[in-house]
């Protein structure tokens, strides 16, 4: 805790603080408060308890930056109302594709929809531009998980209090139709810049498999040359796709696979038990997919047309049970229809 604060608080107020902090930072292991005795204490006993409460603050809760800077903790130190602080407005930092971050001021209990609207207003985005992106959570495995509409981004932020990053919230693409992307980019410079930086990030992370084109992309890595950069990147495997952490699958004798979802295909790549990619690949174009669903165990099942007369079925078992919506086009009795894939992966 930077510096020292002088405030007067009763033991019961420390108990109230402890309850509020435990509700706010559910995964943090808080130290215990000094014991409250049921009988009057002598002066030296009161002094011992006072030192114990100081240690609770200084060496316990306030040693963690995000807790020390929380509204609840600041209200306690400033002798303000703790109940009001627990429902106050907060500043939430969100990382943008160009690696800059922006702060939005929202109610602490705001859901993802409201936080994203605040971000849209802060950036001056049109609805069309905002619909191309969404809020994601960066998690430890390196996978960015789309935040559901009713989740509370502030709760996700404080659950990552031990992270050294500026924030765990990031804006990523939620438009996977590359043709539509190109059309929108031709009329919106801001959108064009956003997709350029997203492509740069995906190349650097390996999501886009640049291979021998890597040096050419590096030479074009300038926002002023975004059109050339994107033209090259869009032709590479992995562009505008979501790749999930490796998991078990019924394919390849119940081995491990890396799952990728895109506008045109569903891809399984075999890998080792530690996630190292291997050569075997199952690539399914969406017109060949007949059925997909989720069973009661949260296993994603897809049935597709194979070279044989019978349908083949592949199961994927993964810890990421969240709805993934990917825009795609399918041929249905000669008609082109727009559909959304709701895949629990």
């Amino acid at each position: 805790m930077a510096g020292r604060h002088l405030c007067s608080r009763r033991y019961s107020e420390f108990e109230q603080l402890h309850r509020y902090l435990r509700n706010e930072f559910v995964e943090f292991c808080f130290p215990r408060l000094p014991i409250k005795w049921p009988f009057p204490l002598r002066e030296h006993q009161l002094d011992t308890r006072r030192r114990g409460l100081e240690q609770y603050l200084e060496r316990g809760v306030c040693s963690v930056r995000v807790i020390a800077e929380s509204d609840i903790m600041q209200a306690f130190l400033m002798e303000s109302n703790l109940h009001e602080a627990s429902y106050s407005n907060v500043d939430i930092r969100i990382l943008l594709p160009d690696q800059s971050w922006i702060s939005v001021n929202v109610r602490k209990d705001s859901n993802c929809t409201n936080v994203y609207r605040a971000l849209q207003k802060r950036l001056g985005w049109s609805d069309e531009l905002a619909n191309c992106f969404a809020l994601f959570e960066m998690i430890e495995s390196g996978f960015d998980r789309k935040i559901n509409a009713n989740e509370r981004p502030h709760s996700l932020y404080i659950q990552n209090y031990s992270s050294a990053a500026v924030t765990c919230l990031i804006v990523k693409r939620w438009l996977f139709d590359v043709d539509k992307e190109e059309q929108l980019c031709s009329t919106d410079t801001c959108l064009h810049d956003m997709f350029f930086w997203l492509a740069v990030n995906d190349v650097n992370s390996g999501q886009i498999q640049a291979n021998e084109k890597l040096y050419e992309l590096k030479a074009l890595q300038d926002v002023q040359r975004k059109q050339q950069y994107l033209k090259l990147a869009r032709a590479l495997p992995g562009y505008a796709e979501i790749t999930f952490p490796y998991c078990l699958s019924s394919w390849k004798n119940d081995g491990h696979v890396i799952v990728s979802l895109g506008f045109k295909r569903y891809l399984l790549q075999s890998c080792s038990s530690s996630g190292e990619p291997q050569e075997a690949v199952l690539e399914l174009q969406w017109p060949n997919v007949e059925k997909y669903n989720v069973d009661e165990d949260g296993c994603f099942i897809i049935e597709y047309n194979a070279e044989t007369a019978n349908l083949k079925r592949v199961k994927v078992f993964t810890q990421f049970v969240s709805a993934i919506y990917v825009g795609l086009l399918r041929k249905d009795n000669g008609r082109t229809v727009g559909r959304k894939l709701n895949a629990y992966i």
Side-chain angles (χ1 to χ4, degrees), residues 215-231:
Y215 291 108
E216 189 175 350
L217 285 168
K218 291 293 184 183
L220 294 172
Q221 192 173 310
D222 186 308
V223 72
Q224 301 301 322
R225 307 179 74 180
K226 56 181 176 283
Q227 189 166 351
Q228 296 166 274
Y229 188 97
L230 284 171
K231 182 179 180 180

Side-chain angles (χ1 to χ4, degrees), residues 156-201:
L156 297 175
Y157 168 72
I158 61 177
Q159 288 172 18
N160 289 271
Y161 50 78
S162 61
S163 173
V166 172
T167 179
C168 66
L169 306 177
I170 185 172
V171 173
K172 299 198 71 174
R173 75 159 60 238
W174 202 233
L175 172 69
F176 300 92
D177 183 344
V178 178
D179 292 336
K180 185 175 181 180
E181 174 193 319
E182 289 188 75
Q183 179 185 355
L184 293 172
C185 286
S186 66
T187 59
D188 192 317
T189 302
C190 178
L191 192 67
H192 206 170
D193 289 348
M194 292 278 285
F195 280 116
F196 165 74
W197 288 115
L198 285 169
V200 169
N201 296 336

Side-chain angles (χ1 to χ4, degrees), residues 25 27-29 64-67 157-163:
F25 302 91
E27 295 187 3
F28 183 72
C29 184
V64 180
R65 178 184 57 82
V66 72
I67 299 179
Y157 168 72
I158 61 177
Q159 288 172 18
N160 289 271
Y161 50 78
S162 61
S163 173

Side-chain angles (χ1 to χ4, degrees), residues 71-135:
D71 292 335
I72 295 174
M73 195 67 245
Q74 291 300 310
F76 181 84
L77 295 174
M78 299 300 293
E79 302 189 44
S80 302
N81 188 293
L82 288 179
H83 180 74
E84 291 179 0
S86 64
Y87 293 96
S88 61
N89 277 27
V90 292
D91 288 322
I92 296 180
R93 291 179 174 182
I94 300 171
L95 193 66
L96 299 177
D98 64 356
Q99 300 304 300
S100 66
W101 59 267
I102 191 168
S103 180
V104 294
N105 186 265
V106 293
R107 276 180 56 96
K108 186 178 294 185
D109 58 350
S110 295
N111 61 24
C112 183
T113 299
N114 292 331
V115 171
Y116 192 66
R117 284 174 182 165
L119 175 68
Q120 178 185 353
K121 183 178 180 181
R122 181 90 160 76
L123 293 172
W125 284 355
S126 65
D127 289 341
E128 186 174 48
L129 192 155
N131 288 336
C132 296
F133 307 98
L135 275 184

Side-chain angles (χ1 to χ4, degrees), residues 5-14 50 53-54 57 75-80 82:
H5 293 262
L6 181 64
C7 64
S8 176
R9 289 289 190 179
R10 299 179 63 85
Y11 185 88
S12 60
E13 292 174 310
F14 273 89
R50 178 184 57 78
L53 293 171
E54 288 178 352
L57 292 178
F76 181 84
L77 295 174
M78 299 300 293
E79 302 189 44
S80 302
L82 288 179

